[in-house]
């Protein structure tokens, strides 16, 4: 689905003028659209919705409740912040603020790192520690993807392999 949506999102980026202009530190030599994250976001959301509707087992497990809403809200905040940055260039502190808001939303929805366990032993975090570690993890991942996005295709590859590992580990 991402492959199908990307040309349309690319055309939209060109039409709306959300272009990344080549500079000394950039690899590309011609202007390229900046809003590729929209194709990825739409692909994830559409695929999730279709899979939920077409697979009765998953449909029974996935209920749109407060927790799911808060997780989706965090994703929408990150998307909107990224799109705004693609068009108008946000101040790094403003981006950081919205990333913290998005991570907090996901944390409130239940996406929390509650502890570290290995081979039956580990550490259980308290609420404040869990919040700080979870928000740090979200910020780390969001900004890691943002940093590697300077090379065409690298962010997409990183996301693909991350999702593959998460899928396998969730299945296990």
């Amino acid at each position: 689905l991402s492959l199908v949506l990307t040309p349309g999102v690319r055309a939209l980026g060109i039409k709306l003028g959300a272009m990344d202009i080549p500079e000394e530190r950039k690899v590309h030599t011609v202007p390229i659209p900046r809003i590729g994250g929209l194709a990825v976001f739409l692909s994830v959301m559409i695929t999730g919705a279709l899979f939920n509707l077409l697979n009765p087992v998953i449909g029974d497990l996935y209920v749109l409740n407060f927790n799911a809403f808060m997780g989706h809200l965090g994703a929408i905040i990150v998307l909107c912040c990224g799109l705004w940055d693609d068009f108008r260039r946000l101040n790094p502190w403003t981006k950081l603020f919205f990333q913290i808001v998005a991570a907090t939303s996901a944390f409130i929805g239940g996406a929390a790192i509650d502890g570290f366990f290995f081979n039956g032993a580990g550490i259980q975090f308290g609420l404040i520690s869990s919040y700080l570690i979870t928000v740090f993890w979200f910020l780390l991942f969001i900004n890691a993807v943002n940093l590697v996005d300077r090379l065409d295709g690298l962010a997409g590859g990183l996301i693909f392999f991350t999702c593959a590992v998460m899928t396998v580990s969730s299945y296990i």
Side-chain angles (χ1 to χ4, degrees), residues 6-120:
T6 297
V9 169
R10 181 182 188 280
L12 181 65
I14 292 170
K15 182 177 181 180
L16 297 176
M19 303 297 287
D20 191 19
I21 307 302
E23 295 174 359
E24 183 179 311
R25 293 179 40 202
K26 298 185 179 175
V27 175
H28 59 280
T29 57
V30 296
I32 58 172
R34 305 181 63 134
I35 62 172
L38 180 60
V40 174
F41 178 84
L42 291 174
S43 298
V44 169
M45 291 300 165
I46 292 169
T47 302
L50 288 175
F51 194 67
N52 186 41
L53 291 172
L54 300 175
N55 187 326
V57 174
I58 298 298
D60 292 342
L61 295 173
Y62 183 80
V63 178
L64 186 56
N65 57 19
F66 177 77
N67 290 352
F69 172 78
M70 293 305 286
H72 285 88
L73 179 62
I76 291 168
I77 291 169
V78 170
L79 171 72
C80 291
C81 182
L83 286 175
W84 186 265
D85 188 48
D86 289 343
F87 284 97
R88 299 279 185 241
R89 292 308 218 172
L90 284 176
N91 172 313
W93 293 107
T94 304
K95 282 195 276 191
L96 181 64
F97 170 76
F98 283 111
Q99 291 169 359
I100 292 171
V101 170
T104 300
S105 174
F107 179 82
I108 291 169
I113 301 172
D114 294 325
F116 175 75
F117 301 94
F118 181 74
N119 205 21

Side-chain angles (χ1 to χ4, degrees), residues 107 110-135 137:
F107 179 82
I113 301 172
D114 294 325
F116 175 75
F117 301 94
F118 181 74
N119 205 21
I123 300 168
Q124 183 77 30
F125 301 133
L127 181 64
I128 293 173
S129 298
S130 177
Y131 171 75
L132 293 174
I133 291 167
T134 302
V135 168
W137 178 254

